Amino acid sequence: MATRAKRPPKRQVRHPKRRLEQQGRLYRRRGLAWLVVAVLVAGGAVAAAVLATGGGDELRAGGLPDTPDYHSLLVTDGPGSLVLGTHYGLYQSADGGLTWEKTALDGEDAMNLGRAGGGVIWTAGHNVLAKSADGGRTWQDVRPEGLPHLDIHGFAVDPGDPRTLWAALAGQGLYRSSDAGERFELVTREVGAGVMALAATRGGRLLAGEMQQGLVVSDDDGKTWRLTLEAGLMGLAVNPSDPELILATGPGILRSTDGGRNWDQVLPLEQGAGPVAWAPSEPATAYVVGFDRTLYKTTDRGESWQPVGAR
């Protein structure tokens, strides 16, 4: 395992292997102003970053782990049981994000977290693909056939069939496994190489946040795609009881109630936002990690948001 790096100055949040370059222009779609994050592509790797340099202190109540990277988020047993994936492993919270404890995969880059039911959780990232059968307490490395490498920037589990997994490989494309990760096959090279957010719904619909294109959607298991939103996205989450209700993050928090065709910006965040997750046991509850080092929570299906622990 890698030794944990020195902690950076407070309030600095970055992504591994990505450099900061934000554009100051606004993109308008359906009357809404979007902040577009510029993308750097070098050596086949997608490079983009959000650097939090100030603001948000008056909103912070519940603290996030003091790590420079926030990658993925999952709500496990109850609405207050959270798992946070970072560049240096996994953290868990049992009180809705007020306090955190480092638990597993020390030094591993947990860029994605996915639930497969029955206590099974997946994590995937830079040279990481691992499976837990006990809710995240212990993990087993998975080295499947069919993947050219394990730099997995996007990962999703089909909610209708937990044996079906989707993996977006940096610089390669989108791959699918139909046997719970034993073997993957290439689906397309048109989508996947630049994916930073991936989600699946029942019935074969896939949503991918491509940093060069925007949000693209497929209704036929990834064979064909259409562009629905031109904005750099860092996170996607489909509501567990309503597949038409989707949250996306990047230029703050975005919300769609029609399956991703139209979007509203429900919370603009100057520093941007990343990991997002719904609570399966309480589908009106969701969490978003802001790059201002604030954990935000909704209890009304994403219509309004408050910092965790705010009074």
Side-chain angles (χ1 to χ4, degrees):
M1 295 291 181
T3 302
R4 184 171 180 175
K6 285 186 177 181
R7 291 182 175 182
K10 202 72 171 176
R11 299 195 318 190
Q12 188 178 44
V13 180
R14 62 173 174 80
H15 289 280
K17 295 187 177 181
R18 301 175 212 160
R19 298 184 180 90
L20 171 69
E21 186 179 353
Q22 280 189 298
Q23 282 186 317
R25 67 183 180 89
L26 294 177
Y27 181 87
R28 296 188 176 272
R29 180 178 179 85
R30 295 184 175 91
L32 190 61
W34 304 109
L35 177 65
V36 178
V37 180
V39 178
L40 300 176
V41 180
V46 177
V50 183
L51 180 67
T53 56
D57 283 347
E58 70 279 2
L59 297 177
R60 292 188 61 214
L64 286 166
D66 189 9
T67 169
D69 307 282
Y70 302 137
H71 282 324
S72 54
L73 188 66
L74 189 71
V75 184
T76 57
D77 299 330
S81 299
L82 310 179
V83 180
L84 178 67
T86 76
H87 189 50
Y88 300 109
L90 299 179
Y91 292 79
Q92 289 188 323
S93 174
D95 55 13
L98 291 173
T99 60
W100 295 86
E101 178 184 2
K102 193 168 188 179
T103 57
L105 301 180
D106 187 30
E108 301 289 345
D109 187 3
M111 294 183 69
N112 303 271
L113 286 162
R115 177 197 313 279
V120 175
I121 298 174
W122 287 87
T123 187
H126 178 59
N127 201 32
V128 175
L129 182 60
K131 178 181 179 181
S132 172
D134 54 14
R137 290 183 289 275
T138 61
W139 293 84
Q140 178 183 3
D141 282 341
V142 177
R143 292 295 182 263
E145 297 181 13
L147 294 182
H149 59 68
L150 285 180
D151 193 1
I152 304 172
H153 283 194
F155 185 85
V157 181
D158 188 329
D161 178 8
R163 292 178 58 83
T164 298
L165 312 175
W166 301 89
L169 270 63
Q172 292 289 329
L174 182 67
Y175 290 74
R176 177 178 59 199
S177 171
S178 57
D179 55 11
E182 292 187 14
R183 180 176 179 79
F184 282 80
E185 295 181 350
L186 178 66
V187 176
T188 180
R189 294 193 185 277
E190 294 182 10
V191 170
V195 164
M196 297 304 298
L198 189 65
T201 72
R202 296 178 187 272
R205 170 177 282 189
L206 294 171
L207 301 97
E210 276 271 1
M211 290 302 293
Q212 288 180 284
Q213 301 182 51
L215 179 63
V216 291
V217 178
S218 172
D219 293 314
D220 54 9
D221 286 326
K223 298 180 182 66
T224 61
W225 296 83
R226 66 183 186 279
L227 180 67
T228 63
L229 177 65
E230 295 183 38
L233 300 181
M234 300 302 295
L236 283 167
V238 179
N239 186 273
S241 65
D242 180 2
E244 296 293 294
L245 179 58
I246 304 170
L247 296 175
T249 59
I253 304 174
L254 317 179
R255 179 176 181 262
S256 174
T257 59
D258 58 7
R261 288 178 288 276
N262 295 283
W263 294 85
D264 293 316
Q265 189 181 43
V266 291
L267 183 64
L269 294 172
E270 181 180 354
Q271 311 300 341
V276 52
W278 292 98
S281 61
E282 290 188 10
T285 298
Y287 296 86
V288 165
V289 176
F291 291 138
D292 57 4
R293 289 196 178 275
T294 299
L295 181 65
Y296 295 90
K297 180 181 180 180
T298 180
T299 56
D300 58 7
R301 293 168 51 91
E303 292 187 22
S304 62
W305 295 81
Q306 294 295 326
V308 166
R311 300 180 185 277

